[in-house]
Each structure stands twice: as C-alpha cells, then as structure tokens.
Amino acid sequence: MKVRELGIKIGRLPVGRKNCITDVEGVRVGHVTLDFSIDDKGEYACTGVTAILPHGGNLFKEKVTAASYVINGFGKTTGLVQVNELGVIESPIMLTNTFGVPNVTQGTLEYMLEENPEIGISTGTINIVVGECNDSYLNSIRKCPVKPEHAIEAIRNASQDTAEEGAVGAGKGMICFGYKGGIGSSSRIVENGGLTYTVGCLVLSNFGESHEFRSEQYKVEKSQENATVKPTDGSIIMVLATDAPLSSHQLLRVIKRCGIGLARTGSHYSHGSGDIVIGFTTAHKIPHFTDNMVESRNQLREDHEVMNLLFTAAIEATEEAILNSLSQAVTTTGRNGHVVHAFKW
C-alpha cells in the first residue's frame, strides 16, 4: 500500500493518476525478480533487474534529452559520462545489484544490437546506462545470479501500467533505513499558464540506518527492534522523468533537487553511499538518422516561475517514492537465513 493510502500526504502539488513514474506519457517499467536457493550452504539469489524505458519506440533511433547528477559517488554505473557530455539517453535505463552491472550491461547491449543491426557497422556505437545498489546482506552477490537474459526479460516486461513496487526487480534485496526497501515511485502534476506537465520519480532505495529515518514528521512510530544493522552504508538510484520541454542543462537543474527529497527522509549522503540521479524528458525525440544540420525545439524559459514548480515536483515525488519503497515492501529472507523486516506503518 502506498503511503498516500495510509493518510500520509507529501507536499502540496497534485499527484498523477497512478502516482507513478509511468504517469509520464510513454514511460514504461519492467522487472525481473530472482528469489531462489542457490545451494544447500545458505547461498541465495535475492535480487533482480528493473528496466525504465523513456518511450515504447526504438530508443537508439529516437533518443531523449537527459542528464545525470552524482550527489555522492560511491557507486558503479555505466554510461553516465556520455549522458552528461551529449545530453541524451539512447537505451533503457537499467537497475540491478552491484555485481550485476556487467551482465545487465551485456544483456541490454544484446537487446539493442538485435533491434538495431546497423550499430557498429554503418553507424556508431551505443551508450548503455546501468545503475546499481549493494544487496549483499540478502543476496549472494558473489554468485552473480543476475544474467544477461534477465536484463532482456526486464525490458520485454516493461509496460505503462502502474509499476510494481517494494521487494521486486532490482529492489528485491535492498534495505532502507534498516527495513525492507527497494523500488518506489511517485508523480506530481505541474500546471502553469494553461499548460500541464507531469514529473515522475522511481527510486531504488538501499540506504540509511533506523535512527536516521525521520518518521516523526510522517506521524508514524518506529520500533528499532526489527531493524537490520547493515554491513555497508548503502545507496540510492533516483530516476526522474518528465514531459516538460527542458534542455539537458535545465533537466540537470531539476534533478539536482531530488537530493532535497532524499535528505528530507533523513539521509545525510554517507561516505559509502552511491546517491545518483538520472533524468530525462520525453518532450522531444532526437533522431539518430538525419541529414539536417540544424534542429529546433521548444524549451521553457529559465527564469519562468514554472521552473520553481518543477523543482518542487522533483523534491516531492522523490520523497514520496522513497516512502513508497518502504510501505510497499514485505519482510524478506535471503542469504544465510538473513531476514529484513518490513517497516510497520
């Protein structure tokens, strides 16, 4: 159950129909969840893959404007250097566990090469984007249970339905504030000057200790009895989508505000945390193949009041997405019988 259904209201902006990143028209989300015993010695697969597709077409041939922002860089990602250099995303955005990054990159590459036989032959290469968090408390991460085919399956599972949240996909083995975390999502509607824009956020939450969670501001009590003491500082990947017509620079300004939503829950961006935001806008598609030397597109004015509303939407959607990752998760058992309990709301 999402926190809004529990009576917890975050912020002042209206929420999208699904209260999910898929409220942004065309955005799709797919999961593959791995939950099985590997052997009789306690090794266990408690992990998965999550795919976020900016639209349902060919992402290489129709790229979207994008940006990324590193709040704290203790993370292992692929593709973000080129995203920030060129300001576009041309593949699904993939999430998984730390040691799953190579196989998920490989699987996503295989999928995109099959869709685009000209890549590497008659045109250039492709930039695959993958983010990760460390799920080694519940998942036998050294066994590398995530395989390339799981990435392909997650992409093919992607739909515009309300994304499943909690202990699913890449979030299966994640821990947030000492309780079961994982995938969470939320959205906001921005209205100004007769125009309406949607901002959606999906998070992979895996950070914080129980005493850091600012539960009192949400008027809920927490018991630290069932809180898990994590062996690592943890991380969070935040993916922000919008249909507002923004440049890559403007998008970077918007996604920086996701860090405020993260901080409001109680995070202080710890030393060993990979706190990373990836953002894109679906407002315009950028063709890979074109003979035009000049391209034109609309974008919002930097100094218009609508920008402040988009900043607010990013903050509110991120904060609520993190809470939804907690409220939607269930108590989970993994490697060596380790148990992480769901937070009791």
Side-chain angles (χ1 to χ4, degrees):
M1 185 177 293
K2 286 181 178 279
V3 292
R4 194 160 287 258
E5 299 170 65
L6 298 170
I8 300 171
K9 183 180 178 182
I10 304 299
R12 60 185 177 86
L13 294 177
V15 174
R17 183 175 63 84
K18 293 176 282 188
N19 194 14
C20 180
I21 193 173
T22 57
D23 280 319
V24 179
E25 184 65 31
V27 174
R28 290 158 165 77
V29 175
H31 301 297
V32 167
T33 304
L34 304 183
D35 183 8
F36 58 86
S37 177
I38 295 174
D39 59 27
D40 58 1
K41 298 178 182 178
E43 302 289 0
Y44 202 89
C46 185
T47 190
V49 183
T50 295
I52 302 101
L53 280 62
H55 61 75
N58 188 310
L59 287 162
F60 179 72
K61 292 178 180 175
E62 294 184 300
K63 310 176 199 303
V64 294
T65 299
S68 72
Y69 180 63
V70 178
I71 299 170
N72 195 71
F74 205 108
K76 294 80 182 167
T77 60
T78 65
L80 298 190
V81 170
Q82 184 169 315
V83 168
N84 286 347
E85 182 70 20
L86 302 183
V88 298
I89 279 177
E90 58 186 10
S91 76
I93 299 165
M94 308 297 290
L95 306 177
T96 189
N97 74 72
T98 307
F99 291 172
V101 171
N103 278 341
V104 168
T105 303
Q106 179 65 30
T108 307
L109 176 61
E110 290 175 8
Y111 177 89
M112 296 302 290
L113 290 179
E114 184 178 349
E115 276 211 329
N116 301 276
E118 62 274 32
I119 291 176
I121 302 296
S122 59
T123 190
T125 57
I126 184 170
N127 185 50
I128 306 296
V129 176
V130 184
E132 57 77 31
C133 293
N134 183 350
D135 60 9
S136 59
Y137 184 75
L138 287 172
N139 176 47
S140 293
I141 196 168
R142 288 174 58 93
K143 296 295 182 180
C144 297
V146 171
K147 305 302 180 186
E149 56 265 30
H150 297 134
I152 297 171
E153 185 181 353
I155 296 169
R156 290 178 174 160
N157 286 344
S159 80
Q160 296 181 80
D161 298 336
T162 303
E164 193 177 358
E165 298 170 66
V168 296
K172 177 61 182 178
M174 302 301 171
I175 307 169
C176 186
F177 291 121
Y179 300 95
K180 193 66 195 73
I183 299 294
S185 192
S186 186
S187 66
R188 291 295 184 275
I189 305 298
V190 169
E191 297 174 306
N192 191 273
L195 297 174
T196 300
Y197 302 118
T198 303
V199 174
C201 183
L202 182 144
V203 303
L204 177 63
S205 69
N206 190 57
F207 67 93
E209 297 181 30
S210 176
H211 66 87
E212 296 170 329
F213 182 36
R214 300 185 65 194
S215 59
E216 64 280 356
Q217 69 184 350
Y218 308 116
K219 297 181 171 58
V220 294
E221 295 183 6
K222 63 183 175 187
S223 168
Q224 294 186 27
E225 290 180 13
N226 292 326
T228 300
V229 177
K230 292 185 58 185
T232 58
D233 284 344
S235 301
I236 183 171
I237 304 292
M238 297 158 277
V239 179
L240 190 90
T242 184
D243 56 7
L246 301 171
S247 68
S248 179
H249 166 73
Q250 291 173 322
L251 192 57
L252 175 61
R253 297 190 68 212
V254 171
I255 67 175
K256 282 181 178 180
R257 272 62 184 188
C258 292
I260 300 174
L262 171 59
R264 284 182 175 180
T265 65
S267 171
H268 62 271
Y269 318 152
S270 59
H271 161 71
S273 188
D275 305 313
I276 296 168
V277 195
I278 303 165
F280 62 88
T281 173
T282 62
H284 26 67
K285 297 182 177 67
I286 302 148
H288 181 79
F289 296 106
T290 179
D291 294 326
N292 295 333
M293 185 177 73
V294 177
E295 62 182 17
S296 61
R297 66 187 68 158
N298 294 326
Q299 71 178 54
L300 297 176
R301 279 188 59 91
E302 202 84 48
D303 59 353
H304 195 280
E305 62 183 355
V306 72
M307 290 298 293
N308 283 328
L309 291 173
L310 291 171
F311 293 162
T312 301
I315 295 164
E316 292 183 4
T318 302
E319 181 180 6
E320 188 163 334
I322 293 168
L323 297 182
N324 285 334
S325 76
L326 282 163
S327 69
Q328 297 277 70
V330 295
T331 297
T332 302
T333 303
R335 179 177 66 85
N336 291 333
H338 291 170
V339 177
V340 179
H341 293 273
F343 184 85
K344 292 182 179 180
W345 295 86

